[in-house]
């Protein structure tokens, strides 16, 4: 039977048909010969994510032990090295998002970046297993360890390996979330709901892989060797590439809409060129609209005019020099767009493109609020890990000891439990009171995460005080390598609270960027999520450096003689101030208004919808 032809209004039928032919997207209407996207693509995408996270966390969770124990770096240098690496790895997603949105597309960006990451991990294995690539073991001299620090060229090999993995993660991180959400059709109400479930599924699958990494992989690193401890994540990365590529025929593929950064810059330049013109007074009918020009970057809906940041509206004012003979009607008029003239976009832009820039600027303050939460959680992999190393890590009096790097398992377990309870219990319960499909807004979800993070660092300070009192009571203040007779499980509350905070704030942050970013910039928006992590790690580096230079709180050789609790309480104070800042930003934030194109559009007009959280 011949496939039934879809009917579209004249003004966008060609666009819709072209989009389906180009992207191989055929709706599931019962008569389709081939379907793409949907739930069936999730195993391939999640397999890639699980293996990639197993690789990343597999050597990242315990890297502080590798740097201090194998390369003999001082503690503060190792801590700043890791936070700098994490910061760089979270900054490179901007480059990956630019490549994906500009010309390569998300699938090929993920594939190429995964191969680069694989090369970096192979180099890291060589650094760990070849004796010449690391300093000789420490010599015991009268019970004091004499350790030779790694040479400059040995550190250079390590840094080159970390740089390759950072570049690889830069292509994976911003694209895999957007690519997964792309597999669901936003114009289908049932699939729209699945998009928001996807973010919880994504974080849950990521948490499971991290859980395996901080238990099994860290145990292998501590008890069997770094060769196997890094080799297994490398094999997992290779499997993730294979799994992802195998799903190619089933994915929805979208042509990249072109450089979003160029479009944003065009609006800025056009507004500056017309800075002397008066701004139209709350009347978008005086501004330029061109539906045909905007369709490649607004497949599911058009951004409506807002009265914020009105200076940029000048970029959409039509003048005689623009060479446009008429101004198209705004989308709310439902007029047929027959304005085929293509203006010089460095002089004249459409309202939709102006609103893209406004949307990105409005997200800025919310983006910045996430920095200090990352700064706080970054201490789990450095100073909290060193706390764990100095404590009694035996389980129930047995001979088995928990590896310090595995303490983050409590963060992952609490995060997984929180995500599950949130998805299965909190959302249905909250929906009864709020009427919101997601239970609570993502801004409210983020606020809960910020509050819990304050409690986490506040508790960490008191635990460190208790640990030092135990060391003093047993005369161990001057024995930095001795085990303090206090259970490592005293650290569980701070690790668990960080996990709860991440389940609320990080997923909410990710949802916020995906929902509020222009649809043509979703890879870039996801990259913004990772850049906040980058900034948080760099702030951690700066904070550690300043505190170490100007106080005696942080010590390289003896944690017992330091004042780590003061450092935790300083972060607590900064987070409390940040929470107040976030509440103000959330109160003032204006959701992007969007006119959604329904699946079956009629000549009676377009369905108007304003995005809500």
């Amino acid at each position: 039977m011949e496939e039934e032809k879809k009917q579209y209004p004249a003004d966008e039928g060609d666009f819709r048909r072209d989009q389906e032919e180009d992207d191989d997207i055929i709706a599931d209407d019962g008569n389709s010969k081939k379907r793409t996207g949907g739930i069936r693509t999730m195993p391939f995408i999640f397999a890639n994510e699980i293996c990639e996270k197993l690789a990343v966390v597999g050597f990242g969770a315990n890297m502080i032990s590798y740097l201090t124990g194998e390369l003999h770096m001082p503690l503060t240098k190792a801590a700043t090295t890791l936070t700098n690496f994490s910061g760089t790895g979270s900054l490179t997603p901007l480059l990956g998002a630019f490549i994906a949105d500009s010309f390569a597309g998300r699938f090929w960006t993920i594939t190429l970046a995964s191969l680069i990451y694989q090369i970096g991990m192979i180099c890291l294995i060589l650094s760990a297993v070849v004796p010449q690539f690391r300093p000789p073991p420490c010599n015991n001299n009268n019970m004091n360890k004499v350790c030779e620090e790694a040479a400059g060229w040995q550190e250079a090999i390590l840094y080159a390996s970390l740089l390759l993995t950072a570049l690889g993660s830069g292509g994976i991180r911003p694209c895999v979330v957007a690519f997964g959400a792309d597999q669901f059709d936003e114009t289908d109400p049932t699939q729209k709901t699945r998009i928001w479930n996807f973010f919880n599924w994504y974080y849950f699958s990521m948490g499971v892989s991290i859980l395996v990494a901080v238990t099994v992989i860290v145990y292998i690193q501590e008890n069997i060797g770094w060769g196997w401890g890094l080799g297994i994540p490398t094999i997992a990365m290779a499997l993730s590439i294979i799994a992802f590529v195998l799903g190619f025929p089933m994915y929805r593929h979208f042509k990249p809409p072109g450089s979003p950064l160029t479009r944003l810059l065009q609006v800025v330049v056009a507004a500056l060129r017309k800075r002397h013109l008066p701004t139209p007074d709350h009347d978008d009918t005086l501004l330029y609209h061109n539906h045909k020009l905007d369709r490649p970057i607004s497949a599911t809906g058009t951004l409506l005019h807002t009265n914020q940041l009105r200076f940029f509206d000048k970029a959409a004012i039509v003048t005689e020099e623009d060479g446009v003979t008429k101004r198209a009607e705004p989308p709310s008029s439902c007029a047929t767009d027959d304005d085929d003239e293509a203006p010089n976009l460095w002089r004249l832009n459409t309202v939709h493109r102006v609103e893209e820039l406004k949307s990105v600027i409005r997200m800025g303050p919310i983006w910045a609020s996430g920095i200090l939460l990352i700064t706080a959680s970054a201490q789990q992999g450095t100073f909290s890990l060193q706390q764990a190393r100095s404590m009694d890590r035996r389980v129930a009096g047995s001979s088995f000891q928990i590896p310090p790097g595995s303490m983050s398992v409590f963060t992952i377990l609490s995060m997984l439990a929180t995500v599950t309870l949130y998805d299965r219990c909190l959302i249905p319960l909250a929906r009864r009171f709020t009427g919101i499909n997601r239970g609570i807004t993502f801004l409210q979800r983020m606020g809960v995460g910020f509050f819990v993070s304050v409690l986490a660092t506040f508790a960490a300070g008191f635990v460190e005080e208790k640990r030092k009192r135990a060391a003093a009571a047993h005369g161990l203040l001057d024995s930095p390598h001795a085990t303090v007779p206090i259970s490592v499980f005293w650290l569980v509350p701070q690790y668990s609270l960080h996990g709860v905070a991440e389940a609320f704030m990080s997923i909410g942050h990710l949802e916020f960027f995906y929902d509020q970013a222009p649809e043509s910039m979703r890879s870039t928006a996801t990259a913004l999520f990772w850049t906040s992590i980058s900034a948080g790690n760099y702030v951690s580096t700066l904070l550690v450096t300043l505190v170490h230079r100007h106080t005696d709180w942080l010590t390289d050789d003896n944690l017992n003689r330091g004042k780590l609790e003061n450092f935790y309480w300083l972060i607590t104070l900064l987070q409390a101030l940040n929470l107040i800042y976030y509440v103000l930003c959330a109160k003032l934030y204006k959701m992007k208004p969007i006119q959604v194109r329904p699946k079956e559009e009629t000549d009676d007009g377009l369905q108007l919808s304003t995005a809500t959280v």
Side-chain angles (χ1 to χ4, degrees):
M1 180 180 294
E2 183 179 358
E3 185 177 355
E4 179 182 347
K5 301 294 184 182
K6 294 185 182 179
Q7 300 297 321
Y8 298 107
D11 63 335
E12 79 162 6
D14 293 338
F15 163 72
R16 287 271 182 121
R17 280 187 287 271
D18 289 343
Q19 186 188 43
E20 290 180 353
E21 291 171 2
D22 291 341
D23 301 334
D24 193 28
I25 302 171
I26 304 177
D28 183 10
D29 58 4
N31 297 319
S32 300
K33 294 181 180 178
K34 183 177 181 181
R35 291 181 299 164
T36 56
I39 295 246
R40 63 182 187 149
T41 62
M42 293 299 104
F44 299 94
I45 295 174
F46 285 144
N48 174 267
E49 178 61 22
I50 289 172
C51 293
E52 188 267 340
K53 277 296 176 290
L54 185 65
V56 172
V57 182
F59 74 86
N62 205 30
M63 187 55 67
I64 189 75
S65 298
Y66 179 75
L67 297 181
T68 56
E70 299 293 324
L71 298 185
H72 309 151
M73 282 188 182
L75 176 59
T76 53
K77 181 179 179 180
T80 55
T81 296
L82 283 184
T83 51
N84 283 337
F85 160 65
S86 298
T88 303
S90 298
L91 192 61
T92 53
L94 282 176
L95 176 61
F98 176 80
I99 293 172
D101 285 342
S102 298
F103 57 88
R106 289 170 188 145
F107 174 84
W108 292 111
T109 302
I110 294 172
T111 303
L112 178 61
S114 298
L115 292 173
I116 294 174
Y117 199 102
Q118 183 76 47
I119 296 172
M121 294 200 67
I122 293 173
C123 294
L124 192 62
I125 290 178
L126 294 177
S127 174
V129 301
V130 177
Q132 291 79 7
F133 288 174
R134 62 181 187 275
C138 298
N139 295 320
N140 289 327
N141 183 15
N142 295 327
M143 300 303 292
N144 292 320
K145 286 187 177 181
V146 179
C147 301
E148 177 185 338
E149 193 172 341
W153 67 271
Q154 292 172 328
E155 291 184 354
I157 294 175
L158 170 72
Y159 295 148
S161 304
L162 296 180
L163 178 60
L164 285 172
T165 59
L167 290 174
S169 65
I172 298 171
R173 290 178 176 178
C175 297
V176 69
V177 177
F179 186 74
D182 283 346
Q183 305 310 309
F184 302 101
D185 186 357
E186 284 188 90
T187 62
D188 186 335
T190 59
Q191 293 200 33
K192 177 70 174 179
T193 302
R194 286 176 178 172
I195 291 178
W196 305 120
N197 290 335
F198 166 77
F199 290 106
N200 286 327
W201 301 339
Y202 167 79
Y203 239 83
F204 187 88
S205 65
M206 183 175 68
V208 170
S209 62
I210 294 175
L211 181 62
V212 174
V214 299
T215 52
V216 178
I217 302 300
V218 169
Y219 179 83
I220 292 173
Q221 292 169 350
E222 291 277 349
N223 296 277
I224 298 179
W226 284 95
W228 279 106
L230 295 176
I232 292 176
T234 303
I235 296 172
M237 190 68 207
L239 294 176
S240 77
I241 299 173
I242 296 172
F244 182 71
V245 173
L246 286 176
F248 178 82
M250 290 183 283
Y251 297 142
R252 297 176 73 192
H253 299 280
F254 292 93
K255 284 186 175 180
S259 170
L261 300 180
T262 300
R263 290 200 305 277
L264 298 180
L265 184 60
Q266 286 172 334
V267 174
V268 174
V269 171
L272 289 174
R273 283 183 168 183
K274 298 178 179 180
R275 61 188 179 277
H276 301 300
L277 297 178
T279 304
D281 188 17
H282 306 288
D283 186 3
D284 67 329
T285 61
L286 300 177
L287 302 176
Y288 182 65
H289 299 265
N290 191 323
H291 313 319
K292 184 175 182 180
L293 180 65
D294 289 336
R295 277 183 194 133
I297 59 173
S298 58
T300 60
T302 303
L303 295 176
L304 301 179
H305 178 258
T306 62
N307 290 320
Q308 292 180 316
L309 304 169
R310 292 178 58 207
F311 170 80
F312 296 108
D313 289 344
K314 296 183 178 184
I317 298 176
V318 180
T319 63
E320 293 181 0
E321 292 81 4
D322 294 325
V324 177
T325 57
K326 75 181 187 69
R327 181 171 50 247
E329 295 297 327
S332 57
S333 69
C334 305
T336 299
D337 181 12
D338 57 359
D339 185 3
D340 292 329
E341 299 178 47
N344 178 1
L345 294 176
W346 295 98
R347 287 195 56 87
L348 177 64
N349 275 268
T350 63
V351 168
H352 177 86
R353 293 167 185 253
V354 171
E355 291 300 323
E356 282 188 329
L357 176 61
K358 290 184 182 181
S359 295
V360 173
I361 294 175
R362 283 197 297 264
M363 291 191 298
I366 302 294
W367 169 86
S369 65
I371 293 175
L372 277 177
L373 183 137
I374 302 302
T375 299
S377 63
Q379 312 315 316
Q380 295 180 89
T382 54
F383 296 111
S384 295
L385 190 146
Q386 290 303 107
Q387 285 179 285
R389 184 173 294 280
S390 71
M391 300 169 76
D392 183 1
R393 293 179 278 117
R394 292 176 298 173
V395 178
S398 67
S399 59
F400 175 77
Q401 291 192 348
I402 300 175
S406 291
M407 285 302 296
S408 57
V409 69
F410 296 104
T411 300
I412 306 305
L413 286 175
S414 64
M415 187 268 285
L416 292 175
T418 304
V419 169
T420 303
L421 291 174
Y422 180 87
D423 191 60
R424 297 300 176 186
C425 301
L426 180 58
I427 289 179
L429 180 63
R431 189 184 293 141
R432 297 180 182 179
F433 299 96
T434 65
I436 301 173
N437 286 336
R438 290 193 293 270
I440 59 176
T441 70
F442 41 63
L443 291 178
Q444 292 169 340
R445 183 173 186 170
M446 291 166 61
V448 173
F450 284 126
F451 177 74
V452 175
S453 183
V454 173
L455 298 180
T457 50
F458 189 61
F462 286 106
V463 173
E464 172 60 10
E465 275 198 328
K466 182 175 181 63
R467 189 196 68 83
K468 289 202 306 180
R469 284 198 299 269
H474 292 81
L476 299 176
L477 288 179
D478 295 313
S479 302
H481 301 294
T483 298
V484 179
I486 179 175
S487 174
V488 74
F489 290 103
W490 278 98
L491 297 177
V492 170
Q494 67 194 61
Y495 275 98
S496 298
L497 286 172
H498 278 298
V500 175
E502 183 176 358
F504 277 95
M505 190 278 168
S506 294
I507 300 178
H509 216 193
L510 197 57
E511 288 179 341
F512 168 78
F513 285 124
Y514 186 86
D515 185 81
Q516 291 299 294
E519 65 176 279
S520 63
M521 299 184 183
R522 279 174 173 163
S523 292
T524 305
T526 308
L528 291 177
F529 169 78
W530 291 106
T531 56
S532 68
I533 296 177
S534 171
N537 281 290
Y538 284 132
V539 169
S540 175
T541 297
L542 176 63
L543 198 59
V544 168
T545 301
L546 292 177
V547 170
H548 183 61
R549 179 179 302 171
H550 299 290
T551 72
D552 59 350
W553 297 355
L554 306 177
T555 59
D556 286 326
D557 53 354
N558 190 352
L559 195 65
N560 298 332
R561 285 295 184 182
K563 298 178 181 177
L564 181 59
E565 67 277 9
N566 291 345
F567 181 66
Y568 282 136
W569 287 332
L570 173 62
I571 295 178
T572 301
L573 176 61
L574 294 175
Q575 285 200 101
L577 296 175
N578 183 65
L579 177 60
I580 297 173
Y581 161 79
Y582 170 76
V583 171
L584 294 175
C585 291
K587 287 287 186 182
L588 297 175
Y589 183 78
K590 180 178 176 62
M591 298 295 166
K592 71 172 185 183
I594 183 172
Q595 179 173 271
V596 178
R597 285 197 181 99
K599 289 181 71 68
E600 299 298 334
E601 195 166 287
T602 67
D603 291 332
D604 294 332
L606 300 176
Q607 178 184 351
L608 185 64
S609 174
T610 301
T612 61
V613 288

